[in-house]
Every structure is written in C-alpha cells, then in structure tokens.
Amino acid sequence: MDLDASDADAAFRAEARAWLAAHVPATPLPSLETREGFAAHRAWEAQLAADRWSVVSWPARYGGRDATLFQWLAFEEEYYAAGAPGRVSQNGINLLAPTLFEHGTPDQRARVLGPMATGEAIWAQAWSEPEAGSDLAALRSTAVRTDGGWLLRGQKTWSSRAAFADRAFGLFRSEPGAPRPHQGLTYLMFPLDAPEATVRPIGRLDGKPAFAELFLDDVFVPDEDVIGEPGQGWRVAMSTAGNERGLTLRSPGRFTAAADRLTALWRESADPTDTALRDRVADAVIGARAYQLFTYVNASRIAAGGTLGAESSLNKVFWSELDLALHETALDLLGPYGALADDADDAPAHGSWAEGYTFSLAGPLYAGTNEIQRNIIAERLLGLPKEARA
Amino acid sequence: MRFLLTDEQREFGRTLDSLLGAADTPAAARAWAAGEHKPGRGLWARLAETGVFALAVPEERGGMGPLPLELVVAFVELGRHVVPGPLVETVAAAAFLHRLGDGAAAGDWLPRIAAGDAVVGLCADGEPFALDADAADTVLVVRGDTVCRTQARGPVQPGLDPTRRLARPLGGTVLARGPAVTEAARHATDLARLLTAAQAVGVGRALLARTVEYVCQRTQFGRPIGSFQAVKHRLADALMGVEFAEPLVHAGALALANEAASAGAGGLSAGAEVAAAKVAAGEAGYAAARAALQLHGAVGYTDEPDLSLWIRKARPLRDAWGGPGACRARVLTG
C-alpha cells in the first residue's frame, strides 16, 4: 500500500500545473449560469481543448491524453487548486461521454465527442420530469417510431445547463405497454434548437437560470442518435447514473481545494478563541481528505481490475454533505460579508463562496436524492431487506 | 500509487479475526473488568505468537518492526473483538523506548514486549490516569521532558468502560530527561492515537455487523425493522462513517512509517494526518455505538448481552489519546 505517484503520474501533474499557471484567467469568469458567463466558459473549454486539457482521460484520437485514473485525479486536483473556471461541458464529458464509450457506436463517438471536447456543442442532461425525479421508472415522455427515427414528445424539467446548451440526452418511453416500468425506455440524444423544442429557463434559488424545463412536441431524432438498443435505456442510463454519483462527476480535487481556501480564510479572519468554528473548519479539512483517500481506494481497486458498484452511493452522500458543510462554514467565517452575492461591490475576494453555497444546496437533491442513496447503501451494501412497496 | 492493503496484510487481518473469533474474547473482557487478568494475558500470549507485538519492536530488539500499517490492521481486529488490556499503551511504550535511544530500559523491555511477556502502561503528559496499571508489569509516566518508571498506583477507579481500568500512577524512578523524551513522547502519542483510531474502526465494524444482523431478524408491525427507512438511513450513515474513516487510518499509518519523508499526497504532516484519522474514526465508532444502541432498543441498554462491551468502549476510544477537540486543532496546525 502506498500513496506515491509514479514518475509518469508526477510528470503529468507537473505539466498540468505549469499549463494551468500560465492559462487560468486572472479574473474569475462571470457565472456560467448567465448568458455572458456561459459564452465565456465555452471559450475557456476551447482554450483547454486547444492544448488537449479538456478531456484528459479520453483517447488521443478524440482529443484526450489517454490519462490514467490517477492522472485524471491529479489533473483535477491541480485544476481546482489553480482556481480554474467551472466546467460548462461537464454534463457531456462526465455523463454522456462515458455512456458513449460503453454503449455508443463508432459513428456516434466520431460525431459527438470532438465537438463536445472543444465546447462547440454543450450538452444538457434531460432525465427528470415533473412526476419523475429520483424515480426514473415513472418517466412519461415518449419516443414514437417514425420513418428513420423517433418523435419525442413530453416535458422534461430541472434540466441542468439546458438554458443555454445546444443539445440534450435523456430517457424516453418507447413501449408504452411494457410489463414493467423499467422496461421500454430508450436513451436518445436530441437538439435543443429544433422548432419543436421549447426551452424555458428556470431560475434556481439565486434566480440564475442554472436549469430549464423542456417542452418537446414531436422533436425528430434520427436512429443514429439512439444510444444502445431501443427499449434498453434503463440499463444504459444506469451506467451513467453510477458515473454521476461516483467518481467522475465529483473528483476530490474540488473539495480539497475548497478546504484549502477555507483554511486560509480561517487563518486570515477567524477569532482564534472560537473553537466551535475552528472545529467545523477542521472537519471540512478532514472530510475532504477522507473523500480524497476513499477515491484513491476506489481508483486503486479499478486499476487492479475491479469495479465500482453501490460504493458510488457512499460517495454521493458524502461529497454532497461535505460540500454543503464547506460552504456553510465559509459563510459563517465571512460574517456579514457572507450575506453578499459574488458580484456585489463589497463581495469577499476569496472566491465565489455565494455561488458555491447555492450550488452546494442542490447536492443532496440531484444525482439521486440522498434519501434514495441511503436506501441503496442499506440494501445493497448492508443487505437490509427491501422496504414494503405498494 | 496502490492504496490497497496487500494480500499478506489482508490475510494477517483474517488470521487474527478467526483466532480471536474462536477465543471467547467477550469472556476475557468481562473477567478483565472484574480484575481477573489471566484470560486476558492468555489472549495476549496468543496474539504475540502471531507477531502483533513484534510489529512495534525493531529487529535488533527481537521484533520485526516498526510496521505501523500492519499494526493498524491488527488493531482493527483487536477492536472488532474487544480484546482487553493496555494494548495501545504497550505498543506505544515500545515505540517510545525505541525512539528514546538504546538505553538499558529499551534493552530490558523491548524483547519482552515483542514476545508478549510484558504489559506496559504509558501515561502521557497531562494525562492523570494510567490505563490498566493494575495489570501492567510497569508503567512509563511522561511529565514534561521527564519520563519515570513506576509500579505504584492509586486505587483503580470505576470507568464508563469497565474493561478500561484507570488509576493514578504514583512516584517512580526517573528513566530519562530532556528533549529526547519530548520527541519520543510525541512520536509515541501519534502511534497511540493512530492505533486507538484503528481500534475504533474495528469497534464500529463489529457494532454495525451485529446491528445489521439484529434488525434483519427483529420484527415489529409484522416486518423486519431493517426494512424501515429510518432504520436504514441510520445504518447507512454509520457505515459511511466507518468506510471514510478507515482510509484515513491507513494514510496515517503510511505517514508515520514515512515520517521523515513526505507526508503523502494531501500535504498534511504525519501528526495532522493521524489526528484526522483519530477524529474520523473516533466519531465513526461512537456513531456506530449510538446507532447500535438505538436500533437494539432496550436490548442494547442492558449489560448482559455482549453488545454492551462494544457500546461502552466506543466513547472512551473516541476520547483517549487526544479527544476530538485536541485532534481537530492538531489537524489545522498542518
């Protein structure tokens, strides 16, 4: 057992650090949940892609660097430590791309991955519906067979990034009479700029349009944009859901970097006799380190040929609660300044704590609520009996 | 990087688990609580045969260490099986004597510790009580930059965990004085903290396993209580605590083994890494005890079932060798 980076990994980290030091914008970009900020973040994706830093773990032929899992983790640590911008492409890169690598056709990979890597096409996730959040089996929007493809109809909601994104991916019911609700679902990619698609941005708690609802009125999707077999969408989607909860969406780097910033803030500004606050700062540091080490365990297991199963539910609950604790503690440390939005005149110059706080509030809700995750942990990792269901 | 135990380390843990599982450790713990040390010393002798104590002692003194990671693997099992006695203190005393230099005390005691023949107490600076001084062959008492050896003690005082018998050490003869004592004590404290954390992980795992078993067979309202969401969520949280604490304990062991070099990928010093492990493991063990008590209901609140041995141990382990406050402060000093 060791925590030592190989020479190759150390060299990779050093190269990433040097590139980031030379390229990370000196002034933070505007919030990516605004039209102006979205465009600025799209340009940043192009800049990352130009030097092949946007998708380091992908094969070189799709614009990546064939980075190992440990190299990817190192890149993410460096990325967040450098204070680099949030990733507007992350829904595509972290959720759709792994699905395409696993279930997509060579043609799909060739068409979709390049523009995704450069930020030319930004993807939105379109899973939730008004009556179906964590319970994806309750999805009602439909895909109806037509010549050469499918017609999508229905309503999607809380669709992350959809306010300004170009395309979306989601599950649709293609066999209305299927015997079980998990069956007869099809996973499709569709355009958001089709005349039959209406995108209505939804303001989140801070009013910024971080997501949207989609009204689909016979949006045409050609057969080549179905991922996996029609009717097998559930199985295809579950591999993405594991990614979302597990390793790829929430790399430890963002939490270790936030914990470092929090510690710096505490050293600068805290009342040293306030041990209650000190203990919360320490707990955030301990939590971030624990999350990092737990990820190293999982990465080591995967590198040794293993797989990640229901452990991703442990990850999900842990990082979402850690993220919230980190930001709540920061707001308390900031005192009266903690009440200001990031673009306020007197906003603290320590980073985007307000936006980060707002975003962290969503952590326990999305990617499968923490209640659902705790059920999965109890049933699949501890072996407790299933709840009686009506 | 390969942040996984080796097959040998896992096998060592399994060996201890099956040895202790067959040894009626709860009975030894209850006897120990009553001041009857013979079954406990018998357990120590068997542990010595597997090499547990030798892991703390360098080769030139008859051991095969120091090997903090293997010690951690062992102490998780010792916690899982509530093995009584000043295990942490004896092993930390070995580290202390070794660090202090090759004096006569090291020559006298280290081979005996490695062989499992000596039970040694270690009372840290500022700590009023020595653990299990009534069972110890000797107690090392650190006060400032001075260390004394004594067998004299005040009366054993009743504790929250009756298997942890506390007494004030009295008098003693000076073994050493000066900065080397302070430095050796710092190192021994880090090791004691780490192994206490490992024990807490083992206690947490044992409590979880017993509670999962119980809630699957205990029925209320016509269903196993383990099917109720409130019960599930409490156990999911307890599992999460233990699962995220154990890697910290392993990283703490690596950091101690590698103290002179870098502290690992996180940039924490060995002392801070160990303190982080102690906070997380201590809280996880205690949370598992609270969950076990709650979910066993009145069964958990009774002394007779062996479960009580684990429930009562969790809190003192959380607080021994630097409670959560002290350890949190240590984490932030970097």
Side-chain angles (χ1 to χ4, degrees):
Chain A
M1 172 177 261
D2 68 74
L3 283 165
D4 306 325
S6 69
D7 289 349
D9 291 357
F12 186 91
R13 182 189 285 274
E15 194 187 346
R17 181 180 293 184
W19 189 90
L20 290 162
H23 291 85
V24 169
T27 351
L29 303 183
S31 164
L32 66 77
E33 316 297 5
T34 62
R35 186 171 291 283
E36 176 205 10
F38 199 88
H41 281 77
R42 192 195 285 269
W44 167 249
E45 291 292 322
Q47 203 181 345
L48 283 168
D51 290 325
R52 288 192 303 126
W53 290 111
S54 69
V55 287
V56 295
S57 59
W58 290 11
R61 71 174 179 284
Y62 299 119
R65 289 172 174 255
D66 291 297
T68 65
L69 200 43
F70 291 116
Q71 287 170 348
W72 175 76
L73 287 166
F75 171 75
E76 292 278 303
E77 284 170 14
E78 294 300 325
Y79 190 88
Y80 287 102
R87 300 295 303 273
V88 69
S89 280
Q90 70 169 6
N91 278 313
I93 293 171
N94 293 327
L95 302 178
L96 179 57
T99 310
L100 289 176
F101 282 121
E102 199 178 333
H103 302 280
T105 63
D107 164 68
Q108 285 173 338
R109 292 196 277 267
R111 279 189 292 119
V112 173
L113 294 177
M116 184 193 290
T118 60
E120 192 186 324
I122 307 270
W123 289 82
Q125 184 190 22
W127 282 17
S128 296
E129 294 185 8
E131 303 297 327
S134 291
D135 181 13
L136 286 177
L139 294 177
R140 289 197 305 213
S141 53
T142 56
V144 178
R145 202 78 185 93
T146 186
D147 271 358
W150 302 80
L151 293 173
L152 306 187
R153 169 171 288 197
Q155 185 186 354
K156 294 284 180 178
T157 193
W158 311 309
S159 183
S160 301
R161 294 287 106 80
F164 309 113
D166 308 294
R167 291 176 67 76
F169 52 94
L171 283 173
F172 292 83
R173 196 161 290 286
S174 54
E175 294 165 31
R180 293 179 54 222
H182 292 176
Q183 291 172 353
L185 294 169
T186 297
Y187 200 126
L188 301 114
M189 301 181 276
F190 60 97
L192 290 172
D193 59 358
E196 299 81 9
T198 305
V199 177
R200 193 184 77 81
I202 306 172
R204 64 174 178 192
L205 278 182
D206 63 359
K208 289 177 187 150
F211 44 22
E213 55 187 341
L214 313 175
F215 299 92
L216 309 173
D217 188 13
D218 290 340
V219 174
F220 177 73
V221 174
D223 282 326
E224 57 261 32
D225 281 348
V226 172
I227 308 174
E229 291 299 312
Q232 297 298 311
W234 177 264
R235 197 174 56 82
V236 176
M238 283 305 103
S239 67
T240 311
N243 281 315
E244 186 178 23
R245 289 167 203 152
L247 274 180
T248 55
L249 183 60
R250 287 293 171 269
S251 63
R254 68 166 62 205
F255 306 112
T256 48
D260 285 347
R261 288 207 312 281
L262 183 71
T263 308
L265 186 62
W266 175 74
R267 293 220 163 95
E268 275 169 41
S269 61
D271 168 5
T273 62
D274 186 346
T275 53
L277 201 47
R278 176 203 72 191
D279 283 357
R280 288 168 57 204
V281 173
D283 280 340
V285 172
I286 295 166
R289 178 65 169 157
Y291 184 67
Q292 181 185 41
L293 292 165
F294 189 77
T295 305
Y296 291 160
V297 173
N298 286 326
S300 300
R301 208 172 275 154
I302 290 167
T307 52
L308 191 63
E311 291 84 1
S312 64
S313 293
L314 286 170
N315 266 33
K316 200 277 154 158
V317 176
F318 194 88
W319 67 246
S320 58
E321 294 188 348
L322 168 64
D323 201 27
L324 196 49
L326 271 162
H327 285 91
E328 286 173 340
T329 308
L331 294 197
D332 286 350
L333 271 169
L334 291 167
Y337 293 91
L340 294 174
D342 293 326
D343 53 2
D345 287 344
D346 286 332
H350 299 289
S352 51
W353 289 113
E355 175 119 8
Y357 166 69
T358 303
F359 188 54
S360 75
L361 286 170
L365 318 177
Y366 70 93
T369 64
N370 283 8
E371 284 74 18
I372 293 283
Q373 301 309 325
R374 284 186 165 95
N375 285 354
I376 294 174
I377 293 165
E379 289 172 12
R380 299 206 202 140
L381 296 178
L382 290 172
L384 296 186
K386 284 205 178 284
E387 205 169 1
R389 291 202 173 119
Chain B
M1 183 190 298
R2 191 182 182 281
F3 194 50
L4 293 174
L5 293 174
T6 62
D7 291 344
E8 291 74 18
Q9 286 159 346
R10 278 173 210 283
E11 184 53 36
F12 178 50
R14 276 194 294 268
T15 302
L16 287 174
D17 186 28
S18 57
L19 182 152
L20 293 169
D24 200 2
T25 51
R30 288 187 186 277
W32 192 277
E36 166 56 65
H37 301 127
K38 208 169 159 215
R41 291 292 291 250
L43 275 181
W44 279 50
R46 301 196 56 193
L47 288 171
E49 286 166 23
T50 70
V52 167
F53 297 103
L55 294 170
V57 175
E59 284 179 35
E60 65 269 23
R61 301 287 192 189
M64 49 192 189
L67 292 170
L69 193 52
E70 280 73 8
L71 279 168
V72 156
V73 170
F75 272 74
V76 169
E77 299 307 325
L78 299 178
R80 197 197 298 273
H81 292 280
V82 285
V83 177
L87 292 148
V88 165
E89 290 68 20
T90 296
V91 166
F96 175 82
L97 289 170
H98 175 49
R99 277 284 170 124
L100 200 54
D102 54 357
D108 285 349
W109 289 100
L110 290 181
R112 290 186 59 197
I113 290 174
D117 293 338
V119 173
V120 182
L122 178 64
C123 188
D125 191 21
E127 175 55 49
F129 306 111
L131 178 65
D132 297 317
D134 59 326
D137 298 295
T138 192
V139 178
L140 304 177
V141 185
V142 179
R143 296 289 178 251
D145 69 348
T146 302
V147 59
C148 292
R149 235 202 81 184
T150 182
Q151 273 169 292
R153 56 169 178 87
V156 169
Q157 305 190 30
L160 278 176
D161 174 1
T163 71
R164 292 174 62 90
R165 296 163 62 82
L166 301 169
R168 281 186 190 278
L170 299 174
T173 52
V174 172
L175 265 186
R177 199 189 292 276
V181 170
T182 315
E183 175 54 22
R186 185 199 57 76
H187 173 71
T189 296
D190 280 345
L191 183 64
R193 217 168 243 189
L194 178 72
L195 299 181
T196 305
Q199 265 187 315
V201 166
V203 164
R205 289 214 182 273
L207 285 162
L208 257 169
R210 283 170 176 253
T211 307
V212 164
E213 195 182 337
Y214 181 76
V215 301
C216 285
Q217 42 123 329
R218 166 80 167 168
T219 58
Q220 290 278 270
F221 311 107
R223 294 193 192 115
I225 63 171
S227 69
F228 299 134
Q229 204 171 54
V231 171
K232 282 181 173 157
H233 288 192
R234 185 114 198 206
L235 284 169
D237 284 338
L239 177 69
M240 195 159 59
V242 175
E243 289 287 344
F244 281 88
E246 194 160 33
L248 282 166
V249 174
H250 289 153
L254 288 180
L256 272 192
N258 199 18
E259 209 177 351
S262 73
L268 292 176
S269 69
E273 190 94 271
V274 166
K278 179 65 171 41
V279 172
E283 298 289 8
Y286 184 58
R290 289 289 323 281
L293 174 58
Q294 181 68 26
L295 300 180
H296 277 82
V299 174
Y301 194 66
T302 4
D303 169 47
E304 282 124 27
D306 286 338
L307 182 76
S308 63
L309 294 169
W310 283 272
I311 288 179
R312 284 181 294 195
K313 193 170 278 304
R315 182 83 190 186
L317 286 182
R318 171 184 174 273
D319 299 336
W321 288 103
C327 287
R328 287 185 170 108
R330 179 70 190 83
V331 166
L332 288 179
T333 61

